[in-house]
Amino acid sequence: MRIYIIRHGVTQLNASGIRQTSEGFLSPEGIAQARAVAERLSNVTIDSIFTSPYPRARQTADIISAQVKQLQVQESPFLIEVKYPTEVVGKPKTDPASVRILETIQAHYGEEGWRYSDEETFEEFVERAHTVLDYISKTGFENVVVVSHERFIRVLVGVVLLGREFTPGVFRVVRKNLYVSNTGITICEQFQNEGGPWRLMQLNDHAHVDAISVHQDPGKADPV
C-alpha cells in the first residue's frame, strides 16, 4: 500500500504569514499548484482520495480528483490541521504574544492533560495520526491520496518514522527542521500485510511547482 500525502495549495493567508482558521480558499496561485500536482499524479492509479474538510484542502483534493478519473473525495475530520489556541489564530506568525503562547505550550508537551486554552494537545494530535494510518491500512486500497496541512503532515511523518517512540522532544526538532511545501508530495508505503510497518519513501517533492511563482519563502519554516 502506498499513500501520497499532499499539503493543500497556497492561500492568501499562507502567503501573508497569518495563522489560519479552518476557513479560507486557495488563491489563484494555490489553484495553479493544485493543478500542477494533479498533473504529476495523472499517471498514477489512485484508488481513493481522503481530505481534510477545510475548504483549502477540499479544493485541492477536488482538483486532483478531476484529473485522476473523477474519484469520489472523502472528507475526514482526522485530517484537519493541528489545532492552535484561539488566542493565536488569525495573528501573524511573527506576533510576539503568539510566539510566547506557543513556546509555553511546547514547553508543556508531554505533561498529560496540560492545556493552555482550547488547543489540541500533543497526545491528541499524535493519536489522530495513528488513527489515520491504521484506517488507511485497513481499506485494502493500493494507492491513496491524502490531502492535509503542514503541521499535521509533520506529525504523520514523525509517526511513520518512530511510531510510539515519537516524543515531544523529537516533535520540536521535526517542527523546526522539516518544511512542507504547498502541494509537496510525501510518499509512505506499508510493505507487509495489514498492520505492518510504514516506511517513508519520499519527502516533500515539489518539483511540479518550480515554474510557479511562489510568494512564500521555502526557507522560512514556522518558528513555533
Side-chain angles (χ1 to χ4, degrees):
M1 171 178 284
R2 172 174 283 202
I3 55 175
Y4 297 81
I5 304 171
I6 299 170
R7 183 185 176 193
H8 61 81
V10 73
T11 68
Q12 190 57 52
L13 290 179
N14 279 152
S16 301
I18 303 296
R19 299 192 193 281
Q20 298 187 85
T21 67
S22 60
E23 303 303 319
F25 292 87
L26 300 181
S27 66
E29 181 179 8
I31 293 172
Q33 291 173 339
R35 288 172 176 163
V37 75
E39 181 64 29
R40 282 288 300 278
L41 295 171
S42 62
N43 294 322
V44 178
T45 302
I46 302 298
D47 300 311
S48 189
I49 301 175
F50 295 95
T51 183
S52 157
Y54 291 2
R56 56 191 181 272
R58 177 68 199 232
Q59 267 189 288
T60 303
D62 284 341
I63 290 170
I64 294 170
S65 174
Q67 183 70 39
V68 293
K69 71 180 185 184
Q70 296 286 345
L71 283 175
Q72 179 182 2
V73 175
Q74 302 180 63
E75 293 184 359
S76 171
F78 288 98
L79 293 173
I80 64 172
E81 181 59 292
V82 172
K83 187 176 184 301
Y84 275 150
T86 300
E87 290 85 349
V88 309
V89 175
K91 303 289 181 61
K93 293 181 178 180
T94 54
D95 173 58
S98 298
V99 170
R100 285 194 297 272
I101 288 171
L102 294 178
E103 287 176 342
T104 298
I105 291 170
Q106 290 174 37
H108 288 276
Y109 277 165
E111 296 180 25
E112 189 172 355
W114 190 94
R115 202 183 303 266
Y116 180 84
S117 62
D118 58 350
E119 78 278 6
E120 192 174 19
T121 68
F122 176 82
E123 291 78 15
E124 287 170 342
F125 58 71
V126 168
E127 194 58 39
R128 184 153 61 86
H130 281 286
T131 299
V132 167
L133 294 173
D134 290 346
Y135 177 82
I136 292 174
S137 174
K138 294 174 182 177
T139 62
F141 295 132
E142 290 298 321
N143 294 287
V144 175
V145 166
V146 170
V147 182
S148 190
H149 305 266
E150 181 181 23
R151 296 189 298 279
F152 190 62
I153 291 173
R154 289 172 177 159
V155 178
L156 281 171
V157 169
V159 169
V160 164
L161 291 173
L162 294 171
R164 296 293 175 182
E165 302 303 314
F166 186 50
T167 64
V170 173
F171 182 53
R172 292 186 189 99
V173 176
V174 169
R175 294 185 78 262
K176 180 180 179 181
N177 297 322
L178 173 59
Y179 183 78
V180 181
S181 305
N182 288 105
T183 69
I185 304 172
T186 293
I187 299 176
C188 299
E189 287 189 358
Q190 190 176 41
F191 286 91
Q192 300 178 8
N193 292 331
E194 180 182 314
W198 288 96
R199 296 179 183 175
L200 179 65
M201 308 302 294
Q202 175 179 293
L203 181 64
N204 194 37
D205 178 357
H206 58 282
H208 50 281
V209 295
D210 283 351
I212 299 174
S213 174
V214 178
H215 298 301
Q216 288 179 292
D217 180 352
K220 292 182 179 179
D222 187 354
V224 292

